[in-house]
């Protein structure tokens, strides 16, 4: 790794601050950070430098949101994620920088489009259901779907989750898990994939952030042996990390302060917008 001058180092420091912010406020925004790292450093080397920075952010996020994780969702994802990480490791053995950037960027844009389509279709379905229930509201049926005089129905899963047939839910978890494992191994870009999965499942802010925090602490830590074996992490990269990790803490503090003030609709839009932006940067880099 060549000597880094002041301005590139400042860009890496700003990107590290954004990592801290994304871990405690807007998961998926750190795709901007990985684009900055890939622009300043060689793409393959950038993934090794960024990984310890991400783990530092993950530790801070777990300290803040550790009680809000939805463990059934995590356990459903992990087997497919492991397969994706292995597949990403094999891919990294032969792919060059251009192939990595183009493939990940295209995947992120495709997943963003699918999520926007799903959310629009769900909103149309809810509106139609509300219109059907309106004429019967005066007959004792509540708009929430509760039986007359009874309690509202509760559903299993995270608050606000879309209810899907079990087979569909398992297939979706496997698809997103494998894709997330692959993208996180290849370019540390698993954040947008997990974000899209959790948004499609209807997670609210705290459940979203808590589940993401534990997911990435476990997954990113498990990637370290693979990254060392590929030569992506070495003594030089760790020396740079020792400097950059100092900038993660103020970003995490700022994100924690902002998270409680972000409207849920705005939060969802920011996550999807950051995903699209990160995908475009990877695709065009």
């Amino acid at each position: 790794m060549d000597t880094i001058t002041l301005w590139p180092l400042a860009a890496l420091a700003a990107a590290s601050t954004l990592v801290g912010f994304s871990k405690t406020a807007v998961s998926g925004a750190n795709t901007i950070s990985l684009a900055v790292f890939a622009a300043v450093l060689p793409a393959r080397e950038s993934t090794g430098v960024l990984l310890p920075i991400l783990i530092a952010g993950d530790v801070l996020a777990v300290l803040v949101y550790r009680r809000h994780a939805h463990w059934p969702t995590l356990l459903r994802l992990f087997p497919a994620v492991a397969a994706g990480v292995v597949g990403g490791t094999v891919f990294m053995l032969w792919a060059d920088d251009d192939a990595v950037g183009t493939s990940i960027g295209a995947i992120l844009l495709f997943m963003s489009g699918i999520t926007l389509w799903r959310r629009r279709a769900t909103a149309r379905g809810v509106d139609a259901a509300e219109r059907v229930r309106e004429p019967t509201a005066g007959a004792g049926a509540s708009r929430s779907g509760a039986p007359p005089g009874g309690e509202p129905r509760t559903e299993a899963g995270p608050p606000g989750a879309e209810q899907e047939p079990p087979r569909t839910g398992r297939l979706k978890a496997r698809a997103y898990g494998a894709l997330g494992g692959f993208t996180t191994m290849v370019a540390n870009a698993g954040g947008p994939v997990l974000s899209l999965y959790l948004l499609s499942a209807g997670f609210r802010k705290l459940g979203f952030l808590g589940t993401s925090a534990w997911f990435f602490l476990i997954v990113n830590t498990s990637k370290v042996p693979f990254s060392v074996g590929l030569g992506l992490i070495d003594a030089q990269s760790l020396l740079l990390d020792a400097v950059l990790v100092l900038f993660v803490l103020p970003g995490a503090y700022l994100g924690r302060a902002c998270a409680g003030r972000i409207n849920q609709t705005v939060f969802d839009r920011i996550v999807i917008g950051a995903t699209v932006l990160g995908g475009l940067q990877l695709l065009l880099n």
Side-chain angles (χ1 to χ4, degrees):
M1 187 182 300
D2 297 332
T3 302
I4 301 176
T5 57
L6 179 60
W7 288 112
L9 183 60
L12 294 177
S16 299
T17 303
L18 185 57
V19 167
F21 180 85
S22 72
K23 293 296 184 180
T24 55
V26 184
S27 180
N30 63 3
T31 54
I32 300 171
S33 298
L34 70 91
V36 171
F37 271 72
V40 173
L41 304 170
R44 284 177 61 87
E45 291 183 16
S46 71
T47 62
V49 174
L50 184 57
L51 182 57
I53 304 297
L54 294 173
I55 293 174
D58 294 329
V59 171
L60 295 173
V62 165
L63 291 175
V64 174
Y65 299 114
R66 61 188 178 277
R67 297 179 181 176
H68 300 286
H70 189 254
W71 283 98
T73 295
L74 291 172
L75 295 175
R76 198 158 51 237
L77 286 169
F78 280 145
V81 171
V85 168
V86 173
T89 302
V90 173
F91 180 79
M92 288 291 283
L93 289 174
W94 63 267
D96 59 17
D97 291 342
D98 290 339
V100 170
T102 300
S103 60
I104 299 301
I107 288 170
L108 296 184
L109 292 177
F110 175 74
M111 297 305 296
S112 297
I114 292 294
T115 297
L116 288 171
W117 175 80
R118 285 175 55 87
R119 292 175 69 81
R120 183 168 297 180
T122 300
R124 285 199 298 266
V126 170
D127 289 343
E130 290 293 333
R131 287 195 295 270
V132 168
R133 283 199 294 264
E134 278 180 1
T136 62
S142 72
R143 290 177 65 107
S144 65
E151 295 295 324
R153 294 193 299 269
T154 58
E155 304 284 359
E162 299 172 8
Q163 297 305 308
E164 298 175 319
R167 180 177 176 81
T168 301
R170 287 194 297 269
L171 289 175
K172 186 172 77 170
R174 290 169 185 168
Y176 274 91
L179 182 60
F182 179 83
T183 55
T184 194
M185 187 65 227
V186 171
N188 292 314
V193 177
L194 181 67
S195 296
L196 297 177
Y197 176 73
L198 296 182
L199 286 181
S200 72
F203 274 78
R204 308 295 288 179
K205 277 186 292 188
L206 290 178
F208 181 104
L209 292 168
T211 303
S212 295
W214 276 108
F215 177 89
F216 282 110
L217 179 60
I218 294 169
V219 171
N220 283 335
T221 302
S222 71
K223 285 160 49 183
V224 171
F226 294 98
S227 296
V228 172
L230 290 168
L232 303 176
I233 295 178
D234 56 22
Q236 277 191 308
S237 70
L238 291 175
L239 185 61
L240 180 57
D241 286 326
V243 176
L244 296 177
V245 75
L246 301 176
F247 296 91
V248 178
L249 184 58
Y253 178 82
L254 180 61
R256 181 67 183 92
C258 292
R261 297 180 171 86
I262 300 176
N263 175 272
Q264 181 68 40
T265 301
V266 174
F267 179 84
D268 292 351
R269 289 174 179 172
I270 290 174
V271 170
I272 294 173
T275 302
V276 171
L277 180 60
L280 286 172
Q281 288 178 320
L282 284 170
L283 196 60
L284 300 176
N285 186 28

